[in-house]
Amino acid sequence: MSKYSYQLKIHAVQEYLSKECSYAEVCRKFDIHSKRKLITWVHEAQANGYESLAPRKTHHSYSLDFKLQVVNYY
């Protein structure tokens, strides 16, 4: 689970971009502990859109049948 929600990331980035506040001011306002994290979010949103700030699912769950097929194939 991510420490910062998707909505918080969007609001923080929009706040920085719209009001031209400093990174430090936005971090204080949204209680973000790392200025580098906010900088990364801003660059990511500018390059790839706000969807790039969404959490990514990294854990896959596979059915027992699929696992057995893989083992048998191997």
Side-chain angles (χ1 to χ4, degrees):
M1 185 171 156
S2 178
K3 183 173 183 176
Y4 300 104
S5 71
Y6 176 60
Q7 290 79 17
L8 181 125
K9 292 177 187 179
I10 290 175
H11 289 303
V13 169
Q14 287 175 340
E15 180 83 14
Y16 174 77
L17 294 175
S18 67
K19 294 191 177 180
E20 309 247 341
C21 297
S22 70
Y23 286 114
E25 291 170 341
V26 174
C27 286
R28 263 185 257 119
K29 181 176 180 180
F30 290 97
D31 197 28
I32 300 168
H33 301 293
S34 171
K35 186 170 77 169
R36 170 57 45 205
K37 180 92 52 192
L38 178 60
I39 293 169
T40 302
W41 295 343
V42 170
H43 289 286
E44 190 71 29
Q46 287 176 327
N48 302 315
Y50 289 112
E51 296 81 29
S52 63
L53 301 176
R56 293 173 184 85
K57 184 176 179 182
T58 58
H59 299 286
H60 301 283
S61 61
Y62 299 105
S63 69
L64 180 61
D65 291 334
F66 179 77
K67 291 177 184 179
L68 289 173
Q69 287 177 353
V70 171
V71 170
N72 288 332
Y73 176 78
Y74 181 71

